[in-house]
Amino acid sequence: NAGVMQNPRHLVRRRGQEARLRCSPMKGHSHVYWYRQLPEEGLKFMVYLQKENIIDESGMPKERFSAEFPKEGPSILRIQQVVRGDSAAYFCASSPVDDSGNTIYFGEGSWLTVV
Amino acid sequence: QRVTQPEKLLSVFKGAPVELKCNYSYSGSPELFWYVQYSRQRLQLLLRHISRESIKGFTADLNKGETSFHLKKPFAQEEDSAMYYCALINAGNNRKLIWGLGTSLAVNP
């Protein structure tokens, strides 16, 4: 099992460009979570998805941010018109459908730098 | 629901005991976890209270009276230096984790 795979690991974007971060959950996992870690701050929940369904997006900024988890392919976190304040580490996590042990597994993160 | 880690940074010497504090507020029966993040690596599950196990010499006991889940190790090692996050599962219909802000542990030689 390859674990939760995120790409790219590092992404540099100019202000106003779009950033797309991808997350492939562990095999057999149908729940995906996105978290953001700002410099010098802790993890903040952004969104929780199941395939083709957003369960909880209470942590997503109201504008410019969107997430999807299609029936086929990875989950994508999309940030439009990036600003310097979007520079952060974005972590994806997944958990199995049976929620055994309530454990979630994290990817290695994607570091976004906006210049 | 909230998880509080009062110490942003904790610095100890090698061989000294270490305790990373975690307090929570939750209306139901919580499930609590400790995650560790070594420098620029992925978050890894360290402990969960339901398993009552010791990992890398760390233990944590859920104290419902004090609403705490402190992480302890009797003799710190330099390789323990990392960021430690306490988290609580929201066992409602969305099951998201609620995180503390983390404590950075520095173990000095």
Side-chain angles (χ1 to χ4, degrees), chain B residues 33-50:
Chain B
F33 305 81
W34 276 100
Y35 280 81
V36 59
Q37 184 182 26
Y38 300 102
S39 179
R40 293 182 76 83
Q41 294 185 25
R42 74 178 75 207
L43 277 153
Q44 303 171 41
L45 177 66
L46 184 62
L47 286 175
R48 46 192 175 119
H49 88 271
I50 57 172

Side-chain angles (χ1 to χ4, degrees), chain A residues 63-77:
Chain A
E63 297 176 345
R64 302 187 297 107
F65 284 73
S66 62
E68 63 176 4
F69 188 19
K71 187 176 180 181
E72 301 290 338
S75 174
I76 297 190
L77 180 67

Side-chain angles (χ1 to χ4, degrees), chain A residues 79-106:
Chain A
I79 312 171
Q80 295 178 290
Q81 300 174 327
V82 295
V83 300
R84 287 226 172 104
D86 297 332
S87 295
Y90 292 83
F91 287 93
C92 173
S94 71
S95 67
V97 64
D98 63 359
D99 289 326
S100 55
N102 299 323
T103 301
I104 67 173
Y105 298 86
F106 281 84

Side-chain angles (χ1 to χ4, degrees), chain A residues 4 9-10 33 35 37 40 42-43 45 48 55-56 58 91 99 101-104 106-108 111, chain B residues 8 31 33 35 37 40-43 45 48 50 83 85 89 93-97 99-102:
Chain A
V4 179
R9 290 294 311 280
H10 300 276
Y33 311 77
Y35 292 84
Q37 186 177 37
E40 306 302 320
L43 282 162
F45 167 81
Y48 166 40
I55 305 301
D56 181 349
S58 58
F91 287 93
D99 289 326
N102 299 323
T103 301
I104 67 173
F106 281 84
E108 292 186 320
W111 269 261
Chain B
K8 194 171 181 179
E31 295 190 46
F33 305 81
Y35 280 81
Q37 184 182 26
R40 293 182 76 83
Q41 294 185 25
R42 74 178 75 207
L43 277 153
L45 177 66
R48 46 192 175 119
I50 57 172
M83 195 76 179
Y85 291 93
I89 198 87
N93 61 2
N94 61 15
R95 309 188 56 77
K96 71 184 181 189
L97 279 163
W99 296 87
L101 291 179

Side-chain angles (χ1 to χ4, degrees), chain B residues 10-15 76-81 105-109:
Chain B
L10 184 63
S11 183
V12 301
F13 286 104
K14 178 182 172 182
Q77 303 298 317
E78 287 181 69
E79 55 265 29
D80 296 329
S81 297
L105 174 65
V107 181
N108 304 301

Side-chain angles (χ1 to χ4, degrees), chain B residues 1 10 27 31 39 44 53 55 58-59 62 65 67 70-71 78-79 88-89 91 101-103:
Chain B
Q1 298 123 354
L10 184 63
S27 56
E31 295 190 46
S39 179
Q44 303 171 41
E53 56 194 344
I55 303 293
F58 285 96
T59 58
L62 180 62
T67 61
H70 302 328
L71 183 68
E78 287 181 69
E79 55 265 29
L88 176 155
I89 198 87
L101 291 179
T103 298

